Amino acid sequence: QVQLVESGGGLVQPGGSLRLSCAASGSIFSINSMGWYRQAPGKQRELVATITGGSTNYADSVKGRFTISRDNAKNTVYLQMNSLKPEDTAVYYCNADVLSRSPLWTKGEYWGQGTQVTVSS
């Protein structure tokens, strides 16, 4: 089993900042990529940012405001969110592409349960 647990969400005013964390645990041999996605009520889940090795990718709507980083030793990915806007309000989900070795070699994508981010004055 592989589990992803997000934390750091909350309620902030426009222009404020939040730092999200996502820790992967379980039968993990290696993690190829990790990322953040978000879903607002009535809308599709969309990519926010991903990181694979030293390469990062951001949605146009968050470029210059959000920064994704990764601590490989801790199997943890972070999302620093600055200059938050009301349109950033959503449930943020962590995603990871994981290779496991016990009891068999398996590869799959895993999702966290999500953490709520609300930006409102």
Side-chain angles (χ1 to χ4, degrees), residues 67-87:
T67 302
I68 188 170
S69 61
R70 181 175 173 180
D71 186 337
N72 292 328
K74 297 180 180 179
N75 290 327
T76 300
V77 64
Y78 307 93
L79 185 68
Q80 179 66 47
M81 304 185 294
N82 299 324
S83 302
L84 284 162
K85 305 175 181 179
E87 67 186 40

Side-chain angles (χ1 to χ4, degrees), residues 15 62 67 121:
V62 307
T67 302
S121 59

Side-chain angles (χ1 to χ4, degrees), residues 87-99:
E87 67 186 40
D88 296 318
T89 296
V91 177
Y92 284 69
Y93 296 92
C94 179
N95 173 267
D97 182 7
V98 179
L99 176 65

